[in-house]
Amino acid sequence: MNTLSDRYLLTAEIEHLYAHYCETLDDGRIDLWPEFFVEDCLYRLTTRDNEERGMPLSLVLCKGQAMIRDRALALQKTVMFRSRRQRRMLSGIRLLEGVDGDGEGVKTRASFVLYESVGDEPTRALASGCSHDVVVRRDGALKFKQRLLVVDASVMTDSLVFPV
């Protein structure tokens, strides 16, 4: 990023990536979830306690786009569940200085909250936390190389089988 205007443009592009990601999942298009990632990606969901203690335990761990594809297919074809709607809210999207270890990509950070409405029950918050991501440009499009989602609570609901 050479100039301030380059940084603003990249920030807007990354905000669009996040908005499109959330909108796609909120619309129930889990089949499109893998397309937001590069082949050699990492998607990991863990608790704040585990992350702060350096413990590798993950609630969800997908190493590579193929594992994300498998998870998306499993959620579409094999999971039995009541009709539900989810809504993802992101705020405070920040581009952090530096790049990932390969010398490519931008490290980002954002706060998130995931809400869910099931049947005629009131909407409830499922999870809140912070994402630590690496975004790269491949074939002209921004994609996630890493999504590390750290939830604040130590106890998780079973609905977190769906992507955050």
Side-chain angles (χ1 to χ4, degrees):
M1 291 179 282
N2 298 331
T3 67
L4 190 56
S5 62
D6 289 342
R7 187 172 178 86
Y8 284 141
L9 180 59
L10 181 59
T11 299
E13 286 182 280
I14 289 174
E15 286 176 350
H16 181 266
L17 170 68
Y18 278 104
H20 188 217
Y21 178 91
C22 289
E23 179 182 43
T24 299
L25 294 175
D26 290 349
D27 288 346
R29 295 301 313 267
I30 295 172
D31 58 314
L32 298 178
W33 181 43
E35 294 177 20
F36 287 92
F37 295 86
V38 296
E39 287 293 327
D40 59 335
C41 65
L42 174 68
Y43 175 90
R44 180 173 173 237
L45 177 68
T46 189
T47 66
R48 185 177 189 162
D49 288 343
N50 287 339
E51 191 64 15
E52 287 176 352
R53 293 177 183 161
M55 301 182 73
L57 181 64
S58 300
L59 301 166
V60 178
L61 178 64
C62 295
K63 292 181 177 180
Q65 190 186 51
M67 287 182 80
I68 292 174
R69 265 193 234 101
D70 288 346
R71 186 167 185 85
L73 184 62
L75 287 169
Q76 291 173 288
K77 304 294 182 191
T78 61
V79 175
M80 301 295 283
F81 56 88
R82 293 171 48 194
S83 175
R84 67 184 69 231
R85 294 298 241 171
Q86 293 185 333
R87 186 78 48 206
R88 291 147 185 86
M89 302 290 176
L90 289 174
S91 68
I93 300 170
R94 265 188 334 123
L95 278 59
L96 305 176
E97 295 301 320
V99 294
D100 69 4
D102 297 325
E104 64 175 32
V106 177
K107 292 181 182 179
T108 65
R109 180 181 168 138
S111 295
F112 68 85
V113 178
L114 174 62
Y115 295 96
E116 181 177 67
S117 300
V118 179
D120 59 357
E121 297 174 13
T123 299
R124 64 184 175 136
L126 290 182
S128 65
C130 186
S131 70
H132 305 270
D133 304 324
V134 176
V135 176
V136 296
R137 191 177 304 275
R138 297 282 165 85
D139 299 323
L142 292 180
K143 295 186 180 257
F144 292 107
K145 182 172 183 173
Q146 171 187 293
R147 284 224 72 201
L148 169 58
L149 299 139
V150 181
V151 295
D152 296 325
S154 297
V155 178
M156 294 292 96
T157 173
D158 59 353
S159 295
L160 281 181
V161 298
F162 293 95
V164 176

